[in-house]
Amino acid sequence: MNNPADTEFIPAPTRPSLNAMIEQLIQRASGAAARSGNQIEILLDSTENFPEWEAALRSAQESICIEMYIFATDEFGRTIRQILLDKLAQGVAVVLVYDWIGSLGAHFKRFFRPLVEAGAEIRSYNPPGWFGGLGLLSRNHRKSIIVDEKVAFVSGLCISSAWNGNPAKGIAPWRDTGLKLTGPIVQDVLAAFEDTLISQGGSMPQQLRNYEEGEACQTGSATGRVLATTPANINTMRLDLNIIGLARQNLWITDAYFMPTRMYIQALINAARADVDVRVLVPRTSDIRWIGTVSRTQYRQLLEAGVRVFEWNGTMIHAKSAIIDGQWARVGSTNLNLSSWYANRELDISIEDPDTVYLLERAFLKDLENATEVILTEEQHAELQQKRAGMFKGHKALHRGQVKGMVRQVMQLSQAFDNNLSSTRLVGLSEAWAYVSIGIGMLLFGLLLWFLPQILLWPILFLLVIGGLSVTVQALIQIWRFHRGQR
């Protein structure tokens, strides 16, 4: 029998800390590594974003890369084009990817021809073609600008004067949020751009990719990661769902086109039932009206679970952001709907920096001052207010031991805002009119199909023919290449 003292001691596997497990969960869900040493600046609306874009573009010395859903032919679009032409004349490399549908007007007006003639590398994302198949449904909804591989802008804003509004017609500017990034994270934004460019048959010019991984200079203390969604993954949705599960105190969401899946709705409901302060800010009026109508049919189940829903009183709120517990936020192009999650190329920044998140919380609370809360009934609203007052006391107690006092301040600001909130709207009437609109729309569409069934038949036939030809041709080409290689 062996002496236990002579037996070699094998230590038990070290259990990872909770923080390490959370980091692993975020990285596995997002498919993106965290980058530290960045500076992240929040830019609100076109009044802050557009001047920063112009200044950065005018200062370019080596390269400009733009990935944009809408490149309009209006005043702001022409301004940006002229800056790009000036830079091309100075020898700066210009690479642009625009979405064929989003920039349809610019495409057919040959708006980009002067840039191509001046030497720019320009690609249209997913133009119609015999080999596109059902992939044509995928759009490039990203909005990013990278200058000299050192500064990047990621936002929900496009290159269009629509974001400026129209004061002459009483149309207020759109509410939107963007980020200005410097530091190592810029290389990940550039990598996402390069992936899109290559997907459309393009390639990066020689003067780009000057920096190898890890070579980029640190410019600050913020940590973040790039969420580059493609039709091949649903990283942003998966990350959002996991982060919602981690929320303990507050979950504040702003979304322009709110049509989430049942899975996402249930995640919000579960969080609210666990006494998380869940708030959703959406447009009252939208540039795509039917989406706003459908969104209102989702309100009741959220409100009954304790989720708070607010409608923006201005022209349009186009921002896409999520904020959790004063520690994490997401800002970018992804809307909470199927097309953004499953079909499009989207680009967001996961922000894991309390200082930056604090500023986003302040901006969110400021936005609620120009919003109307949708409620079930006055009585239920009063009951929820009393319940939330107790929740806030618990939140402040939790925060007392933390180094950062800013989160505690946000919760105090939030409670003060709740006490002063007076603008509310009952859900019943809005919900009823939404269903009336949907019902009438279904009846009209039914009548059209009765008298003109081709309205539905021809598009389906077109997609089936294009998809079938594309799949068949690509398979035959693959077989031919295989047999050719065997010779």
Side-chain angles (χ1 to χ4, degrees):
M1 183 174 180
N2 294 332
N3 186 342
D6 297 332
T7 305
E8 183 181 357
F9 174 73
I10 301 176
T14 303
R15 291 189 177 184
S17 66
L18 181 59
N19 287 339
M21 292 177 66
I22 291 174
E23 167 58 28
Q24 178 177 307
L25 180 148
I26 292 174
Q27 183 157 344
R28 295 276 178 87
S30 67
R35 303 295 183 194
S36 58
N38 308 291
Q39 182 176 348
I40 302 177
E41 182 180 349
I42 299 166
L43 303 174
L44 302 180
D45 307 335
S46 62
T47 53
E48 294 183 3
N49 281 273
F50 287 178
E52 288 281 351
W53 293 5
E54 290 189 43
L57 293 171
R58 293 183 194 279
S59 68
Q61 299 296 315
E62 298 176 358
S63 62
I64 295 172
C65 299
I66 300 177
E67 189 170 5
M68 194 62 56
Y69 179 63
I70 297 174
F71 204 121
T73 61
D74 53 28
E75 181 180 358
F76 185 60
R78 291 192 298 271
T79 297
I80 297 299
R81 183 179 67 174
Q82 187 57 53
I83 294 174
L84 298 181
L85 288 170
D86 293 342
K87 287 298 164 181
L88 284 164
Q90 297 170 16
V92 175
V94 174
V95 191
L96 169 64
V97 180
Y98 66 91
D99 185 75
W100 190 85
I101 293 293
S103 302
L104 194 62
H107 180 89
F108 281 117
K109 292 178 182 178
R110 299 183 176 180
F111 187 75
F112 302 106
R113 173 172 283 187
L115 294 170
V116 174
E117 292 173 347
E121 168 81 6
I122 297 185
R123 296 283 169 168
S124 171
Y125 184 81
N126 262 7
W130 290 106
F131 300 104
L134 297 178
L136 290 173
L137 299 176
S138 171
R139 305 317 322 163
N140 186 4
H141 195 244
R142 297 178 182 179
K143 295 98 176 177
S144 71
I145 300 173
I146 309 120
V147 177
D148 289 342
E149 305 181 57
K150 296 178 181 177
V151 59
F153 298 90
V154 175
S155 70
L157 295 88
C158 293
I159 296 177
S160 168
S161 296
W163 271 258
N164 289 326
N166 190 334
K169 295 183 179 180
I171 300 175
W174 288 13
R175 171 72 186 85
D176 216 329
T177 301
L179 301 173
K180 179 181 180 181
L181 310 166
T182 59
I185 197 171
V186 173
Q187 292 304 302
D188 290 341
V189 179
L190 185 62
F193 171 82
E194 184 176 16
D195 179 68
T196 301
L197 183 65
I198 292 173
S199 76
Q200 301 306 301
S203 60
M204 300 290 264
Q206 289 295 323
Q207 53 264 65
L208 271 80
R209 300 311 307 229
N210 292 329
Y211 300 99
E212 297 297 331
E213 186 174 353
E215 220 176 77
C217 296
Q218 295 193 356
T219 58
S221 59
T223 298
R225 67 187 82 214
V226 174
L227 308 175
T229 304
T230 72
N233 68 60
I234 53 171
N235 285 339
T236 302
M237 178 186 181
R238 189 164 55 249
L239 176 62
D240 274 9
L241 289 172
N242 279 281
I243 291 291
I244 289 172
L246 294 174
R248 297 178 59 203
Q249 297 161 23
N250 66 297
L251 166 57
W252 298 344
I253 295 169
T254 303
D255 194 65
Y257 307 106
F258 186 70
M259 292 178 59
T261 61
R262 178 62 205 177
M263 186 186 301
Y264 193 92
I265 287 286
Q266 192 61 49
L268 299 182
I269 289 173
N270 291 348
R273 287 175 175 168
D275 289 340
V276 176
D277 174 26
V278 183
R279 309 185 189 190
V280 179
L281 174 60
V282 294
R284 170 65 176 170
T285 57
S286 174
D287 60 325
I288 306 177
R289 295 188 63 180
W290 69 270
I291 291 182
T293 299
V294 174
S295 292
R296 292 187 183 96
T297 65
Q298 308 260 29
Y299 290 176
R300 182 172 294 276
Q301 57 185 327
L302 293 171
L303 296 173
E304 288 174 346
V307 176
R308 303 179 69 182
V309 178
F310 298 82
E311 290 185 334
W312 176 253
N313 294 331
T315 303
M316 174 63 183
I317 187 162
H318 193 261
K320 307 98 168 42
S321 65
I323 306 167
I324 291 180
D325 289 353
Q327 304 296 313
W328 179 90
R330 174 181 57 77
V331 174
S333 68
T334 300
N335 291 300
L336 304 181
N337 57 45
L338 289 174
S339 61
S340 275
W341 282 327
Y342 291 100
N344 295 343
R345 282 183 175 256
E346 304 282 359
L347 192 70
D348 296 74
I349 302 298
S350 169
I351 304 169
E352 295 150 35
D353 174 62
D355 293 339
T356 308
V357 175
Y358 168 67
L359 297 176
L360 286 168
E361 287 180 311
R362 291 290 297 265
F364 182 87
L365 293 174
K366 181 71 174 176
D367 286 341
L368 294 191
E369 295 178 11
N370 190 43
T372 298
E373 184 169 9
V374 181
I375 61 174
L376 287 168
T377 65
E378 296 290 351
E379 293 77 12
Q380 288 171 308
H381 183 58
E383 291 176 5
L384 285 173
Q385 279 185 313
Q386 291 180 353
K387 179 182 177 182
R388 284 193 294 269
M391 288 166 55
F392 283 123
K393 292 177 183 177
H395 292 331
K396 286 189 284 185
L398 282 173
H399 287 309
R400 275 194 197 104
Q402 295 185 352
V403 176
K404 296 286 185 183
M406 58 182 61
V407 180
R408 184 165 62 250
Q409 183 180 355
V410 167
M411 301 311 297
Q412 291 168 349
L413 283 170
S414 180
Q415 186 179 11
F417 170 79
D418 286 342
N419 292 337
N420 294 327
L421 183 65
S422 59
S423 180
T424 58
R425 179 186 297 114
L426 295 176
V427 69
L429 190 59
S430 296
E431 183 183 49
W433 279 113
Y435 279 115
V436 166
S437 299
I438 293 171
I440 292 175
M442 292 172 67
L443 290 172
L444 291 175
F445 189 61
L447 287 172
L448 280 174
L449 291 181
W450 178 264
F451 292 105
L452 297 170
Q454 304 93 310
I455 291 176
L456 184 62
L457 179 63
W458 287 113
I460 292 176
L461 283 175
F462 175 77
L463 289 174
L464 288 173
V465 170
I466 293 294
L469 282 173
S470 173
V471 171
T472 303
V473 170
Q474 289 179 24
L476 290 174
I477 291 174
Q478 185 175 351
I479 293 170
W480 176 76
R481 286 175 177 170
F482 175 79
H483 287 299
R484 186 182 180 186
Q486 295 296 310
R487 292 176 183 175

